PDB file of all heavy atoms in Angstrom:
ATOM      1  N   TRP A 207     109.401 111.686  82.602  1.00  0.00           N
ATOM      2  CA  TRP A 207     109.609 112.348  81.288  1.00  0.00           C
ATOM      3  C   TRP A 207     110.634 111.677  80.549  1.00  0.00           C
ATOM      4  O   TRP A 207     110.628 111.798  79.155  1.00  0.00           O
ATOM      5  CB  TRP A 207     110.022 113.837  81.607  1.00  0.00           C
ATOM      6  CG  TRP A 207     111.500 113.902  82.189  1.00  0.00           C
ATOM      7  CD1 TRP A 207     111.936 113.783  83.440  1.00  0.00           C
ATOM      8  CD2 TRP A 207     112.697 114.074  81.422  1.00  0.00           C
ATOM      9  NE1 TRP A 207     113.181 113.914  83.613  1.00  0.00           N
ATOM     10  CE2 TRP A 207     113.668 114.018  82.365  1.00  0.00           C
ATOM     11  CE3 TRP A 207     112.963 114.217  79.985  1.00  0.00           C
ATOM     12  CZ2 TRP A 207     115.108 114.301  81.992  1.00  0.00           C
ATOM     13  CZ3 TRP A 207     114.327 114.468  79.629  1.00  0.00           C
ATOM     14  CH2 TRP A 207     115.392 114.456  80.635  1.00  0.00           C
ATOM     15  N   GLN A 208     111.643 110.933  81.051  1.00  0.00           N
ATOM     16  CA  GLN A 208     112.696 110.366  80.362  1.00  0.00           C
ATOM     17  C   GLN A 208     112.329 109.114  79.476  1.00  0.00           C
ATOM     18  O   GLN A 208     112.715 109.012  78.286  1.00  0.00           O
ATOM     19  CB  GLN A 208     113.865 109.911  81.259  1.00  0.00           C
ATOM     20  CG  GLN A 208     114.514 111.089  81.974  1.00  0.00           C
ATOM     21  CD  GLN A 208     115.646 110.662  82.888  1.00  0.00           C
ATOM     22  OE1 GLN A 208     115.242 110.057  83.898  1.00  0.00           O
ATOM     23  NE2 GLN A 208     116.915 110.970  82.655  1.00  0.00           N
ATOM     24  N   THR A 209     111.435 108.332  80.002  1.00  0.00           N
ATOM     25  CA  THR A 209     111.145 107.040  79.431  1.00  0.00           C
ATOM     26  C   THR A 209     109.730 106.958  78.843  1.00  0.00           C
ATOM     27  O   THR A 209     109.391 106.109  77.990  1.00  0.00           O
ATOM     28  CB  THR A 209     111.422 105.930  80.363  1.00  0.00           C
ATOM     29  OG1 THR A 209     110.447 105.950  81.440  1.00  0.00           O
ATOM     30  CG2 THR A 209     112.775 105.836  80.883  1.00  0.00           C
ATOM     31  N   GLN A 210     108.760 107.693  79.390  1.00  0.00           N
ATOM     32  CA  GLN A 210     107.442 107.595  79.252  1.00  0.00           C
ATOM     33  C   GLN A 210     106.755 106.330  79.636  1.00  0.00           C
ATOM     34  O   GLN A 210     105.631 105.942  79.209  1.00  0.00           O
ATOM     35  CB  GLN A 210     107.079 107.854  77.667  1.00  0.00           C
ATOM     36  CG  GLN A 210     107.374 109.369  77.219  1.00  0.00           C
ATOM     37  CD  GLN A 210     106.472 110.357  78.061  1.00  0.00           C
ATOM     38  OE1 GLN A 210     105.281 110.242  78.068  1.00  0.00           O
ATOM     39  NE2 GLN A 210     107.257 111.299  78.707  1.00  0.00           N
ATOM     40  N   ILE A 211     107.518 105.538  80.404  1.00  0.00           N
ATOM     41  CA  ILE A 211     107.003 104.360  81.066  1.00  0.00           C
ATOM     42  C   ILE A 211     107.202 104.571  82.650  1.00  0.00           C
ATOM     43  O   ILE A 211     107.314 105.693  83.108  1.00  0.00           O
ATOM     44  CB  ILE A 211     107.610 103.040  80.564  1.00  0.00           C
ATOM     45  CG1 ILE A 211     109.169 103.142  80.677  1.00  0.00           C
ATOM     46  CG2 ILE A 211     107.227 102.805  79.131  1.00  0.00           C
ATOM     47  CD1 ILE A 211     109.838 101.868  80.205  1.00  0.00           C
ATOM     48  N   HIS A 212     107.097 103.500  83.399  1.00  0.00           N
ATOM     49  CA  HIS A 212     107.058 103.623  84.823  1.00  0.00           C
ATOM     50  C   HIS A 212     105.910 104.493  85.280  1.00  0.00           C
ATOM     51  O   HIS A 212     105.957 105.497  85.848  1.00  0.00           O
ATOM     52  CB  HIS A 212     108.400 104.264  85.311  1.00  0.00           C
ATOM     53  CG  HIS A 212     108.649 104.163  86.736  1.00  0.00           C
ATOM     54  ND1 HIS A 212     109.882 104.482  87.375  1.00  0.00           N
ATOM     55  CD2 HIS A 212     107.862 103.688  87.782  1.00  0.00           C
ATOM     56  CE1 HIS A 212     109.785 104.388  88.647  1.00  0.00           C
ATOM     57  NE2 HIS A 212     108.504 103.791  88.973  1.00  0.00           N
ATOM     58  N   GLY A 213     104.756 103.946  84.848  1.00  0.00           N
ATOM     59  CA  GLY A 213     103.504 104.757  84.802  1.00  0.00           C
ATOM     60  C   GLY A 213     102.821 105.072  86.129  1.00  0.00           C
ATOM     61  O   GLY A 213     101.777 105.744  86.029  1.00  0.00           O
ATOM     62  N   ALA A 214     103.237 104.493  87.152  1.00  0.00           N
ATOM     63  CA  ALA A 214     102.798 105.034  88.548  1.00  0.00           C
ATOM     64  C   ALA A 214     101.271 104.741  88.798  1.00  0.00           C
ATOM     65  O   ALA A 214     100.977 104.096  89.832  1.00  0.00           O
ATOM     66  CB  ALA A 214     103.045 106.476  88.719  1.00  0.00           C
ATOM     67  N   VAL A 215     100.341 105.155  87.989  1.00  0.00           N
ATOM     68  CA  VAL A 215      98.968 105.012  88.357  1.00  0.00           C
ATOM     69  C   VAL A 215      98.128 105.123  87.086  1.00  0.00           C
ATOM     70  O   VAL A 215      98.485 105.849  86.118  1.00  0.00           O
ATOM     71  CB  VAL A 215      98.503 106.115  89.383  1.00  0.00           C
ATOM     72  CG1 VAL A 215      98.694 107.356  88.956  1.00  0.00           C
ATOM     73  CG2 VAL A 215      97.076 105.827  89.884  1.00  0.00           C
ATOM     74  N   GLY A 216      96.966 104.401  87.004  1.00  0.00           N
ATOM     75  CA  GLY A 216      96.054 104.610  85.843  1.00  0.00           C
ATOM     76  C   GLY A 216      94.920 103.603  85.963  1.00  0.00           C
ATOM     77  O   GLY A 216      94.849 102.677  86.758  1.00  0.00           O
ATOM     78  N   PHE A 217      93.978 103.871  85.127  1.00  0.00           N
ATOM     79  CA  PHE A 217      92.757 103.075  84.885  1.00  0.00           C
ATOM     80  C   PHE A 217      92.624 102.741  83.379  1.00  0.00           C
ATOM     81  O   PHE A 217      93.019 103.541  82.568  1.00  0.00           O
ATOM     82  CB  PHE A 217      91.452 103.798  85.288  1.00  0.00           C
ATOM     83  CG  PHE A 217      91.169 103.930  86.709  1.00  0.00           C
ATOM     84  CD1 PHE A 217      91.400 105.014  87.407  1.00  0.00           C
ATOM     85  CD2 PHE A 217      90.689 102.792  87.434  1.00  0.00           C
ATOM     86  CE1 PHE A 217      91.032 105.090  88.757  1.00  0.00           C
ATOM     87  CE2 PHE A 217      90.379 102.840  88.775  1.00  0.00           C
ATOM     88  CZ  PHE A 217      90.610 104.034  89.500  1.00  0.00           C
ATOM     89  N   ASN A 218      92.217 101.446  83.137  1.00  0.00           N
ATOM     90  CA  ASN A 218      91.797 101.244  81.755  1.00  0.00           C
ATOM     91  C   ASN A 218      90.365 101.450  81.449  1.00  0.00           C
ATOM     92  O   ASN A 218      89.602 101.775  82.432  1.00  0.00           O
ATOM     93  CB  ASN A 218      92.301  99.760  81.278  1.00  0.00           C
ATOM     94  CG  ASN A 218      91.590  98.703  82.020  1.00  0.00           C
ATOM     95  OD1 ASN A 218      90.411  98.819  82.413  1.00  0.00           O
ATOM     96  ND2 ASN A 218      92.118  97.517  82.046  1.00  0.00           N
ATOM     97  N   GLU A 219      89.950 101.326  80.285  1.00  0.00           N
ATOM     98  CA  GLU A 219      88.544 101.632  79.987  1.00  0.00           C
ATOM     99  C   GLU A 219      87.472 100.836  80.573  1.00  0.00           C
ATOM    100  O   GLU A 219      86.291 101.228  80.663  1.00  0.00           O
ATOM    101  CB  GLU A 219      88.365 101.642  78.415  1.00  0.00           C
ATOM    102  CG  GLU A 219      88.573 100.156  77.797  1.00  0.00           C
ATOM    103  CD  GLU A 219      88.548 100.178  76.266  1.00  0.00           C
ATOM    104  OE1 GLU A 219      89.551 100.432  75.701  1.00  0.00           O
ATOM    105  OE2 GLU A 219      87.423  99.937  75.852  1.00  0.00           O
ATOM    106  N   LEU A 220      87.870  99.656  81.068  1.00  0.00           N
ATOM    107  CA  LEU A 220      86.908  98.734  81.849  1.00  0.00           C
ATOM    108  C   LEU A 220      86.816  99.147  83.251  1.00  0.00           C
ATOM    109  O   LEU A 220      86.070  98.464  84.070  1.00  0.00           O
ATOM    110  CB  LEU A 220      87.336  97.307  81.654  1.00  0.00           C
ATOM    111  CG  LEU A 220      87.306  96.777  80.132  1.00  0.00           C
ATOM    112  CD1 LEU A 220      87.652  95.359  80.105  1.00  0.00           C
ATOM    113  CD2 LEU A 220      85.908  97.062  79.507  1.00  0.00           C
ATOM    114  N   GLY A 221      87.689 100.040  83.772  1.00  0.00           N
ATOM    115  CA  GLY A 221      87.622 100.541  85.100  1.00  0.00           C
ATOM    116  C   GLY A 221      88.584  99.751  86.016  1.00  0.00           C
ATOM    117  O   GLY A 221      88.584  99.782  87.284  1.00  0.00           O
ATOM    118  N   VAL A 222      89.601  98.932  85.451  1.00  0.00           N
ATOM    119  CA  VAL A 222      90.555  98.144  86.179  1.00  0.00           C
ATOM    120  C   VAL A 222      91.677  99.229  86.507  1.00  0.00           C
ATOM    121  O   VAL A 222      92.234  99.877  85.546  1.00  0.00           O
ATOM    122  CB  VAL A 222      91.183  97.011  85.397  1.00  0.00           C
ATOM    123  CG1 VAL A 222      92.269  96.311  86.212  1.00  0.00           C
ATOM    124  CG2 VAL A 222      90.012  96.031  85.141  1.00  0.00           C
ATOM    125  N   GLY A 223      92.009  99.350  87.748  1.00  0.00           N
ATOM    126  CA  GLY A 223      93.063 100.393  88.170  1.00  0.00           C
ATOM    127  C   GLY A 223      94.274  99.773  88.666  1.00  0.00           C
ATOM    128  O   GLY A 223      94.354  98.623  89.162  1.00  0.00           O
ATOM    129  N   PHE A 224      95.362 100.460  88.450  1.00  0.00           N
ATOM    130  CA  PHE A 224      96.774 100.055  88.834  1.00  0.00           C
ATOM    131  C   PHE A 224      97.385 101.127  89.617  1.00  0.00           C
ATOM    132  O   PHE A 224      97.245 102.370  89.328  1.00  0.00           O
ATOM    133  CB  PHE A 224      97.448  99.686  87.692  1.00  0.00           C
ATOM    134  CG  PHE A 224      98.975  99.645  87.834  1.00  0.00           C
ATOM    135  CD1 PHE A 224      99.644  98.553  88.275  1.00  0.00           C
ATOM    136  CD2 PHE A 224      99.728 100.825  87.644  1.00  0.00           C
ATOM    137  CE1 PHE A 224     101.062  98.541  88.445  1.00  0.00           C
ATOM    138  CE2 PHE A 224     101.162 100.890  87.843  1.00  0.00           C
ATOM    139  CZ  PHE A 224     101.760  99.652  88.182  1.00  0.00           C
ATOM    140  N   SER A 225      98.099 100.771  90.696  1.00  0.00           N
ATOM    141  CA  SER A 225      99.057 101.634  91.402  1.00  0.00           C
ATOM    142  C   SER A 225     100.278 100.897  91.691  1.00  0.00           C
ATOM    143  O   SER A 225     100.255  99.843  92.398  1.00  0.00           O
ATOM    144  CB  SER A 225      98.432 102.245  92.669  1.00  0.00           C
ATOM    145  OG  SER A 225      99.217 103.147  93.346  1.00  0.00           O
ATOM    146  N   GLY A 226     101.414 101.453  91.313  1.00  0.00           N
ATOM    147  CA  GLY A 226     102.697 100.699  91.571  1.00  0.00           C
ATOM    148  C   GLY A 226     103.854 101.561  91.061  1.00  0.00           C
ATOM    149  O   GLY A 226     103.682 102.381  90.056  1.00  0.00           O
ATOM    150  N   THR A 227     104.998 101.238  91.630  1.00  0.00           N
ATOM    151  CA  THR A 227     105.121 100.206  92.566  1.00  0.00           C
ATOM    152  C   THR A 227     105.725 100.705  93.792  1.00  0.00           C
ATOM    153  O   THR A 227     106.421 101.641  93.937  1.00  0.00           O
ATOM    154  CB  THR A 227     105.973  99.049  91.953  1.00  0.00           C
ATOM    155  OG1 THR A 227     107.292  99.457  91.831  1.00  0.00           O
ATOM    156  CG2 THR A 227     105.550  98.588  90.572  1.00  0.00           C
ATOM    157  N   GLU A 228     105.578  99.793  94.879  1.00  0.00           N
ATOM    158  CA  GLU A 228     106.187 100.001  96.123  1.00  0.00           C
ATOM    159  C   GLU A 228     107.492  99.119  96.131  1.00  0.00           C
ATOM    160  O   GLU A 228     107.468  97.873  95.878  1.00  0.00           O
ATOM    161  CB  GLU A 228     105.259  99.389  97.210  1.00  0.00           C
ATOM    162  CG  GLU A 228     105.780  99.508  98.658  1.00  0.00           C
ATOM    163  CD  GLU A 228     105.543 100.942  99.230  1.00  0.00           C
ATOM    164  OE1 GLU A 228     104.626 101.651  98.631  1.00  0.00           O
ATOM    165  OE2 GLU A 228     106.262 101.271 100.152  1.00  0.00           O
ATOM    166  N   SER A 229     108.644  99.710  96.218  1.00  0.00           N
ATOM    167  CA  SER A 229     109.920  99.037  96.247  1.00  0.00           C
ATOM    168  C   SER A 229     110.037  98.265  97.531  1.00  0.00           C
ATOM    169  O   SER A 229     109.953  98.762  98.613  1.00  0.00           O
ATOM    170  CB  SER A 229     111.133  99.979  96.091  1.00  0.00           C
ATOM    171  OG  SER A 229     111.047 100.601  94.931  1.00  0.00           O
TER     172      SER A 229
END
Side-chain angles (χ1 to χ4, degrees):
W207 73 274
Q208 290 176 298
T209 66
Q210 291 301 304
I211 53 178
H212 194 173
V215 61
F217 282 104
N218 69 22
E219 64 184 86
L220 300 180
V222 177
F224 159 90
S225 178
T227 69
E228 183 83 20
S229 298

